[in-house]
Amino acid sequence: MSFEESNTEPVNPYATTSHAGTEEDLDAWLPEVDPADKPFPTFGWTVLKWSLICGIAAIPSFYLGFIVTGQQAIGMLVGIGIFIAGYVWGDYITRPRPWRRSRRVQLTMRTVYILRLIASLAVPVGMVTDMFFGMLAVMFVTGFTGQVGEGNDLSFFATVVTTIVQGVLLNLVMAVVGLCVYPIVSVIVSKREKKRRRSTQESSSAGDVSPLSFSESPSASSR
């Protein structure tokens, strides 16, 4: 065997490729659209999810609205059902959008809805919040449509519209909360991504070290 052949370093099977640490690798680690994500829920699970979220969030409004609207429970249930259908429809039409698989958006939406459910179940926070927007909705509907039943009781149509208007107002508030939460979530996700990228680069650097670097070189051993 010649000296040149003996001096050839063996291939390290644990070494990374030469393009490690490039932008392509970082994009592979930090994708905005991750195809490896779990598939979206089925239609049944989607309906169940939004029914639970809307149902729990509507508990304070339903209790207060039952008194204000003159026990128009059917009208409120219809309004809540319309909102659930709207959420399911919005869920399905936005699934092809890349932002639906963005980790920042997913964490922001999850945080906002968890805060909404906590506020709904926390007494009297949920009552005060829903009472304020419920009164705004009642004043808007009664002033705009004049759909009032006997006495001070709201009619069925006015109850449905009031429920929808109140839901829209509360969702606008949730959108504002989401805009405030998103920067915080982005900072947390960015820190995690930098930490993950740093650990990946360190492991890549460790894998590029040749085993011969820790042993005596062939030229030195021949002396």
Side-chain angles (χ1 to χ4, degrees), residues 173-186:
V173 175
M174 291 169 60
V176 174
V177 174
L179 293 177
C180 298
V181 172
Y182 183 80
I184 302 175
V185 172
S186 297

Side-chain angles (χ1 to χ4, degrees), residues 9-20:
E9 295 183 359
V11 178
N12 183 4
Y14 300 101
T16 57
T17 57
S18 58
H19 65 275

Side-chain angles (χ1 to χ4, degrees), residues 3-167:
F3 176 77
E4 289 76 6
E5 293 177 350
S6 63
N7 197 31
T8 303
E9 295 183 359
V11 178
N12 183 4
Y14 300 101
T16 57
T17 57
S18 58
H19 65 275
T22 60
E23 294 183 359
E24 290 79 7
D25 291 329
L26 299 183
D27 291 338
W29 275 110
L30 313 174
E32 284 299 323
V33 181
D34 188 1
D37 281 350
K38 295 182 179 180
F40 288 108
T42 61
F43 177 78
W45 279 108
T46 302
V47 174
L48 178 61
K49 178 185 71 174
W50 289 117
S51 297
L52 290 175
I53 293 176
C54 294
I56 296 175
I59 290 177
S61 299
F62 189 87
Y63 175 77
L64 296 172
F66 190 76
I67 300 174
V68 175
T69 62
Q71 301 181 356
Q72 282 282 2
I74 302 299
M76 287 185 290
L77 289 176
V78 171
I80 296 172
I82 294 175
F83 239 89
I84 293 173
Y87 266 112
V88 173
W89 176 76
D91 191 323
Y92 267 85
I93 66 170
T94 57
R95 286 184 178 184
R97 303 294 182 180
W99 59 265
R100 280 296 305 272
R101 292 194 180 275
S102 170
R103 281 173 287 181
R104 290 172 173 83
V105 174
Q106 289 180 349
L107 289 176
T108 300
M109 294 179 63
R110 190 177 305 169
T111 303
V112 170
Y113 282 110
I114 289 176
L115 291 176
R116 171 60 179 138
L117 295 179
I118 292 175
S120 298
L121 297 177
V123 180
V125 177
M127 291 290 184
V128 174
T129 303
D130 286 39
M131 180 183 297
F132 174 76
F133 289 101
M135 292 175 60
L136 290 179
V138 170
M139 289 187 296
F140 174 80
V141 173
T142 55
F144 185 77
T145 65
Q147 295 290 326
V148 182
E150 297 180 358
N152 294 324
D153 297 342
L154 292 178
S155 64
F156 171 82
F157 175 78
T159 301
V160 174
V161 178
T162 300
T163 303
I164 296 175
V165 171
Q166 183 185 10

